[in-house]
Amino acid sequence: MSINKLKYVLQHADNALIMGHRISEWCGHGPILEQDIALTNTALDHLGQARSLYQYAADLYNGLPDAEKADFFSSPVFAGLQTPVTEDTLAYLRDGWDFRNVLLAEQGNGDWAYTIARSFLYDNYTVLLYTALQQSNDERLAAIAEKSLKEALYHRKWSSEWVIRLGDGTEESHARMKEAMEERWSFAGEMFIGSEADKAMLAEGAGADLEALKSQWSNRVNEVLTEATLDLQPADAWMQTGGKDGNHSEHLGYILAEMQYMQRAYPGMEW
Amino acid sequence: MNNEWPLWEIFIRSKTGLDHKHVGSLHAVDAEMAIENARDVYTRRMEGVSIWAVESKYIHASNPDDAGELYDPANDKVYRHPTFYELPIELKHM
């Protein structure tokens, strides 16, 4: 039972961490100072959500019986671990196949339009997810959702306005936004395809109903795309999957190499 | 061609303050973005609960060269301060 809860919390934690990391790559490279700061704030919001979720995941993991612990991660670091796991162990010492984030989160930043498209599809999902999780019978998850929702609402406002601004902007901005949305679209479906953990947690009353989320998500995404004068994307398009099961694109390895280098080279190092 | 986004002046009211105070300026394409940028640039540390944004071109300023004629004449008009009233003895805390 708690194995699925741990997987579920990790899915959301990994999404937040990897999204936050990707967005943080814009720090110092934004097209204008004010938007550079806006994105950096957003990256830190995601990181804060990831921390809350990893702290919970660490407690769940530490509470497992030894036999279940031994089977849970296949990253070698966990085999010889003598001390309880912390949020840092989960972020810095797991290998890629133990990460459960959706493929959308790890996709490269591309240009501004690609970054906006990725955030737009994701932010529309997290607003609905956190809204639903406020009703979770798991109090800790509900509390994290309540706090995160306010941040997600602002992220969604920001990314939606940019989709409209670029889509309904100049000929060039429209073309770039259109291209980015078409390319990112095949990564959007995975958010709504239930993993084993998603299904188990829904049945238990602790998780969100992804089917219900999907129809609300489509409605709102289509509203914004229409206002942005962009084509609606096909609902039945073929979708990329695998992230929730630990099968990632090549991008994740590069992200982890950069993010985890310091802790792996100098274990326990602090600034 | 000028590709710079328009400049905006930002005024923030703090939780304890009654008035909006000028905190600085920033660039944005429209009023909505100006307020959002102000939120991200100037209220990150809980500085405010209300934001005003005014496009800088709408601010009209007095000319520093006119300072003499504008402000100096007030120098010797002490009677403009309400310090010459005889207060009743019952009023202790004025």
Side-chain angles (χ1 to χ4, degrees), chain A residues 31-60:
Chain A
I32 185 164
L33 176 70
E34 290 82 350
Q35 290 297 314
D36 193 295
I37 295 175
L39 269 184
T40 307
N41 284 349
T42 302
L44 287 170
D45 286 347
H46 287 303
L47 195 62
Q49 293 169 15
R51 286 195 59 194
S52 303
L53 290 161
Y54 280 135
Q55 286 161 8
Y56 187 22
D59 290 346
L60 290 171

Side-chain angles (χ1 to χ4, degrees), chain A residues 69-246:
Chain A
K69 254 188 228 177
D71 280 346
F72 194 81
F73 292 122
S74 45
S75 306
V77 166
F78 287 81
L81 215 58
Q82 303 297 323
T83 50
V85 158
T86 68
E87 53 181 314
D88 288 338
T89 327
L90 295 174
Y92 293 129
L93 299 179
R94 269 182 311 150
D95 292 310
W97 53 80
D98 277 331
F99 273 76
R100 296 171 179 280
N101 60 280
V102 291
L103 300 178
L104 175 69
E106 68 203 42
Q107 296 309 301
N109 284 339
D111 64 10
W112 187 247
Y114 275 76
T115 293
I116 299 291
R118 186 186 57 204
S119 282
F120 171 69
L121 298 171
Y122 180 76
D123 298 341
N124 270 288
Y125 157 76
T126 49
V127 165
L128 298 170
L129 173 75
Y130 290 138
T131 303
L133 286 184
Q134 288 186 119
Q135 311 304 321
S136 169
N137 64 10
D138 182 304
E139 281 178 23
R140 190 153 167 193
L141 213 45
I144 294 171
E146 189 183 341
K147 178 169 182 285
S148 306
L149 178 60
K150 287 181 191 166
E151 294 169 346
L153 281 165
Y154 188 76
H155 300 164
R156 185 180 73 170
K157 180 173 158 63
W158 181 89
S159 54
S160 301
E161 283 171 9
W162 268 109
V163 168
I164 295 167
R165 195 174 284 130
L166 295 180
D168 193 18
T170 65
E171 203 174 307
E172 185 179 356
S173 74
H174 178 88
R176 285 180 178 229
M177 195 66 243
K178 179 176 147 69
E179 178 194 315
M181 197 62 78
E182 282 168 3
E183 198 277 343
R184 292 289 197 229
W185 187 254
S186 65
F187 293 99
E190 188 185 4
M191 296 187 286
F192 303 101
I193 297 172
S195 63
E196 196 190 324
D198 284 321
K199 289 170 191 155
M201 295 307 286
L202 173 62
E204 217 180 285
D209 180 355
L210 294 179
E211 279 298 314
L213 259 53
K214 189 180 181 180
S215 64
Q216 294 176 56
W217 181 87
S218 301
N219 289 342
R220 187 167 188 290
V221 163
N222 286 343
E223 261 174 44
V224 175
L225 291 180
T226 304
E227 194 177 341
T229 71
L230 291 165
D231 299 333
L232 301 191
Q233 298 298 315
D236 56 352
W238 178 81
M239 291 293 177
Q240 304 269 1
T241 54
K244 288 182 178 182
D245 300 320

